[in-house]
Amino acid sequence: MERILVVEDEPSIVTLLQYNLEKAGFSVLTASDGNEGLKKAMEEQPDLMILDLMLPGMDGMDICKTLRQEKVDTPILMLTARGDEFDKVLGLELGADDYLTKPFSPREVVARVKAILRRTKPFEEGRAASDKAPEPVVELGQVTIYPERYEALLDGERLELTPKEFELLLYLASNEGKVLSRTQLLDAIWNYDFVGDSRIVDVHISNLREKIEEDTRHPRYIKTIRGFGYKMVRP
């Protein structure tokens, strides 16, 4: 049973989320302030974390930043009562995987949790290794991507990528040489709620370049097509 950590200080929201997540078959842990939430995230290693932005003690942004600095890659669905672009982009830039603005539908929360877990689960549980087809591999220069493992390597070294960074890298590499607009990338990687927020794409492209390019000012892999979008090429 997959475990979800809910870090939220409003008891009514905690009750609502816990009821609907348990009804959907998840085990739920809770924390009512930021310090407790960070401690449980580090010690319990849940499969996913639902994290409120505004919390007593440490806030959601600081928790997210701390976890990513500590190389904890637990997927994070961030909740906030604010819906402006700055909060959304900053949360994603710090390593959140998805973003939901209050008020929200419990069914949507459950749907998003399931979607994130599907994307981040590297292998199907219970499937025997002998039954697997040869693992697909996407290679571009010194970048090697294993879609089924949710893993990417650069010169044989594992890249520390957030789930969204991995999806974006895989999509770009799978469309080698094609010019992809920001709108296309938003639709392919963020297929809801982010229409018009093209800066989200730019933030993730910048993060990817920091991880795969020797010189981010003169990228060899991810090229900017001014006024349109990006394309990934073989160096």
Side-chain angles (χ1 to χ4, degrees), residues 82-95:
R82 298 182 293 179
D84 63 36
E85 183 182 355
F86 174 78
D87 283 342
K88 186 180 297 185
V89 171
L90 182 57
L92 294 169
E93 186 175 12
L94 290 176

Side-chain angles (χ1 to χ4, degrees), residues 144 174 179 196:
T144 307
S174 298
V179 180

Side-chain angles (χ1 to χ4, degrees), residues 168 172 185 201-210 222 230:
L168 181 58
L172 288 166
L185 293 170
V201 174
D202 298 334
V203 166
H204 281 73
I205 290 290
S206 177
N207 290 344
L208 272 178
R209 282 175 170 160
E210 290 287 343
I222 303 175
Y230 301 95

Side-chain angles (χ1 to χ4, degrees), residues 2-18:
E2 290 162 314
R3 298 186 304 156
I4 311 299
L5 172 59
V6 176
V7 186
E8 167 63 63
D9 64 323
E10 294 185 40
S12 60
I13 295 179
V14 174
T15 300
L16 182 69
L17 290 173
Q18 184 166 9

